Amino acid sequence: MALIEVSNLKKSFGNQEVLKSITFSVDRKEVIAIIGPSGSGKSTLLRSLIHLEEIDDGSICIDGEYLVKDGQYAKQTEIRKITGKMGMVFQQFNLFPHLTVKENLMLAPKLRKTESLGEIEKRCYDLLRKVGLSDKADAYPNNLSGGQKQRVAIARALMLNPEILLFDEPTSALDPELTGEVLKVMKDLAEEHMTMIVVTHEMGFAREVANRVIFMDGGEIIEENEPEQFFLHPQHERTKAFLHKNWK
């Protein structure tokens, strides 16, 4: 069974239909890159998976449990349990500026109260080491570069031991020279078999790291394939036009 199963997902904002019967699945350890023009519904889809947006109809099943089935959501306790299997990394980092890097990482696990402070602190330093920022534990976000902030955000998302990581354009707010350090961390996670869904405009990352690429346009999945086929032999005219414009 797939780790994530999405079927006939529909979402509108007023009269604007943002998601039109979206159906796809993600296997455990798979990395999915979602690409497409601005306004195609990519971020709304991602936010729906972790219940930051409520859908109008359709089903989302995570690890065999329904977050929403045919438009009917599970109870709040179930929703918290299901969404707790996921972590999300946002475009704008969303770090608390008044907290140090270490405090940002430790906040959610401390609130959860399922581990000792010592265990939380150890994992905090382990993850900062993993993202190459062990010397920044006591720094405040305002004293970090954009790339460092995003690496802190990735470490923070990993603090709750998620089974799935969702990335919403994680490099689009960064200068090009800082993008590489964030993509390297993401590539390392992929090599460790973390299940990831990455909304991105980084075509090189999609081609090199993803197991599958999904192209969205106008609230629909237009095409999906493994990267080599997707980039070298796109089937749909809209895909061809997008790649011609965005991938060299």
Side-chain angles (χ1 to χ4, degrees), residues 169-239:
E169 295 278 13
T171 60
S172 62
L174 303 179
D175 294 333
E177 66 268 21
L178 300 176
T179 295
E181 63 192 48
V182 174
L183 293 178
K184 183 190 179 303
V185 171
M186 294 168 65
K187 187 177 177 185
D188 290 346
L189 288 170
E191 286 172 357
E192 292 166 15
H193 305 299
M194 169 64 77
T195 306
M196 304 197 297
I197 303 178
V198 185
V199 169
T200 186
H201 62 281
E202 296 290 340
M203 299 298 136
F205 174 86
R207 185 172 180 191
E208 185 186 349
V209 180
N211 302 106
R212 253 187 312 139
V213 182
I214 290 176
F215 173 62
M216 286 184 69
D217 193 10
E220 299 175 290
I221 291 177
I222 304 300
E223 188 167 342
E224 65 176 291
N225 213 330
E226 58 90 18
E228 201 70 10
Q229 287 297 313
F230 182 90
F231 284 101
L232 295 182
H233 307 289
Q235 301 299 302
H236 200 286
E237 289 306 318
R238 268 151 74 183
T239 315

Side-chain angles (χ1 to χ4, degrees), residues 3 20 57-58 65 75 93 102 105-106 118 130 153 160 162 164 193 202 225 228 241:
L3 182 58
K20 304 172 183 175
D57 200 5
E65 297 180 286
K75 293 176 180 168
F93 325 127
K102 178 181 170 183
L105 263 66
M106 292 179 65
K130 185 187 189 78
L160 293 174
I164 301 157
H193 305 299
E202 296 290 340
N225 213 330
E228 201 70 10

Side-chain angles (χ1 to χ4, degrees), residues 12-244:
S12 296
F13 293 116
N15 293 326
Q16 187 187 0
E17 208 177 357
V18 189
L19 298 176
K20 304 172 183 175
S21 294
I22 297 287
T23 297
F24 72 101
S25 63
V26 182
D27 289 334
R28 202 175 293 276
K29 302 180 181 179
E30 202 173 17
V31 178
I32 304 294
I34 302 179
I35 65 173
S38 296
S40 57
K42 306 182 302 291
S43 292
T44 302
L45 171 59
L46 213 60
R47 290 169 64 84
S48 299
L49 295 179
I50 201 165
H51 198 232
L52 292 174
E53 295 283 359
E54 287 212 351
I55 61 156
D56 300 326
D57 200 5
S59 303
I60 299 170
C61 186
I62 307 290
D63 199 13
E65 297 180 286
Y66 279 97
L67 174 70
V68 54
K69 187 172 185 180
D70 299 327
Q72 297 296 309
Y73 275 90
K75 293 176 180 168
Q76 274 303 321
T77 50
E78 282 298 302
I79 288 173
R80 277 196 296 275
K81 181 183 158 198
I82 293 165
T83 55
K85 296 179 180 185
M86 294 177 271
M88 185 154 177
V89 178
F90 299 88
Q91 184 177 334
Q92 297 293 345
F93 325 127
N94 290 7
L95 300 175
F96 293 109
H98 63 290
L99 299 180
T100 65
V101 165
K102 178 181 170 183
E103 289 166 341
N104 264 282
L105 263 66
M106 292 179 65
L107 182 62
K110 278 164 73 176
L111 291 172
R112 193 182 265 189
K113 296 180 180 174
T114 56
E115 301 168 278
S116 73
L117 205 54
E119 289 171 320
I120 295 170
E121 194 167 36
K122 180 184 182 304
R123 194 160 71 260
C124 168
Y125 282 111
D126 287 346
L127 285 170
L128 285 177
R129 218 169 10 255
K130 185 187 189 78
V131 299
L133 292 171
S134 37
D135 59 332
K136 299 294 184 186
D138 297 318
Y140 286 89
N142 287 345
N143 296 323
L144 302 178
S145 71
Q148 288 171 331
K149 287 178 189 172
Q150 196 59 292
R151 284 185 282 154
V152 170
I154 293 171
R156 183 181 61 178
L158 290 166
M159 278 296 288
L160 293 174
N161 294 319
E163 293 181 39
I164 301 157
L165 270 187
L166 309 175
F167 292 86
D168 189 8
E169 295 278 13
T171 60
S172 62
L174 303 179
D175 294 333
E177 66 268 21
L178 300 176
T179 295
E181 63 192 48
V182 174
L183 293 178
K184 183 190 179 303
V185 171
M186 294 168 65
K187 187 177 177 185
D188 290 346
L189 288 170
E191 286 172 357
E192 292 166 15
H193 305 299
M194 169 64 77
T195 306
M196 304 197 297
I197 303 178
V198 185
V199 169
T200 186
H201 62 281
E202 296 290 340
M203 299 298 136
F205 174 86
R207 185 172 180 191
E208 185 186 349
V209 180
N211 302 106
R212 253 187 312 139
V213 182
I214 290 176
F215 173 62
M216 286 184 69
D217 193 10
E220 299 175 290
I221 291 177
I222 304 300
E223 188 167 342
E224 65 176 291
N225 213 330
E226 58 90 18
E228 201 70 10
Q229 287 297 313
F230 182 90
F231 284 101
L232 295 182
H233 307 289
Q235 301 299 302
H236 200 286
E237 289 306 318
R238 268 151 74 183
T239 315
K240 291 175 186 174
F242 178 81
L243 290 177
H244 179 72

